[in-house]
Amino acid sequence: MITSPPQDHLSPDEGKKHFSITDPVNPSTPIAQLLIGVVVRKRSIHHNVWATYSWEVVSVIEGAPELPPWSVIENEQDAEIYYAGHTPLRLYPYETDTLKDNLESSNPSVYVFLREDQEGEFPALIGATVCTGEAQAHAGIEGDRVEAVAMSPLISAWVHRFVSRYHVEQPVYKRQRTQNRHNR
């Protein structure tokens, strides 16, 4: 279910709904943004005294389907598949090194952030990224889970276009050792 192809020029209505490009003057402002929907599986756990079920992100889809968050999509034998909601993928010009690393890895991924909700039945969908550095930083937050799912060809092409457009190779500088002060 793809409702918005990730491309640089969309009609005004599509751009408002799914994708945007902003001014790169401020590096903390995303240059590109794409809404994605997150699909999760709630699986029953048997013979476990601490938990009765587990959550697993199974996929992301381009666009934001017109479903309310936590709608049941499918029932399986010991599991239910839910549409968890949508969240933006944001790309920043200062992240191109880690975006490039993700694209060149053996398993390019979208990283989804879930937070266990102490009061409700469903975990909270916190966000998603394709930046490996942001995923690693977010993994250190207590109570949050970072789950990697395969990057679709359309998201991969969108990220690749962004990296091709904004990435600037930085020269590698080697430090020169100074003479040891004891050897003077």
Side-chain angles (χ1 to χ4, degrees):
M1 176 190 316
I2 298 173
T3 60
S4 175
Q7 46 191 349
D8 291 334
H9 303 288
L10 296 174
S11 72
D13 289 338
E14 288 175 314
K16 288 178 193 168
K17 188 172 181 182
H18 298 294
F19 180 82
S20 65
I21 297 178
T22 57
D23 188 1
V25 173
N26 181 355
S28 65
T29 302
I31 290 182
Q33 177 172 290
L34 173 70
L35 283 181
I36 59 167
V38 177
V39 178
V40 299
R41 176 182 291 122
K42 178 182 178 182
R43 184 179 304 279
S44 296
I45 300 174
H46 305 288
H47 311 294
N48 187 324
V49 295
W50 293 283
T52 56
Y53 56 84
S54 66
W55 292 99
E56 168 192 18
V57 177
V58 292
S59 68
V60 295
I61 52 178
E62 296 83 4
E66 295 190 21
L67 290 172
W70 300 107
S71 297
V72 175
I73 297 173
E74 184 179 338
N75 284 309
E76 297 177 346
Q77 186 175 355
D78 282 342
E80 293 177 318
I81 307 293
Y82 291 88
Y83 170 67
H86 64 274
T87 188
L89 281 180
R90 294 183 174 114
L91 303 181
Y92 300 87
Y94 61 83
E95 299 179 329
T96 57
D97 283 339
T98 60
L99 297 175
K100 189 171 181 250
D101 290 344
N102 190 358
L103 289 172
E104 293 172 353
S105 73
S106 59
N107 296 314
S109 301
V110 175
Y111 301 93
V112 178
F113 311 135
L114 297 175
R115 179 171 295 150
E116 292 298 324
D117 186 359
Q118 301 301 326
E119 297 176 16
E121 177 183 356
F122 302 106
L125 174 60
I126 303 300
T129 188
V130 289
C131 172
T132 55
E134 183 181 356
Q136 288 174 350
H138 204 44
I141 299 174
E142 188 176 341
D144 286 3
R145 292 179 48 188
V146 178
E147 293 209 21
V149 293
M151 189 183 298
S152 73
L154 288 174
I155 293 174
S156 178
W158 176 67
V159 175
H160 188 270
R161 278 195 309 273
F162 183 85
V163 169
S164 296
R165 187 172 184 182
Y166 294 104
H167 182 68
V168 176
E169 284 293 333
Q170 298 297 321
V172 177
Y173 295 103
K174 286 190 168 188
R175 284 190 316 159
Q176 296 296 319
R177 288 183 172 250
T178 58
Q179 192 172 25
N180 189 332
R181 63 185 163 153
H182 298 291
N183 294 335
R184 291 186 185 173

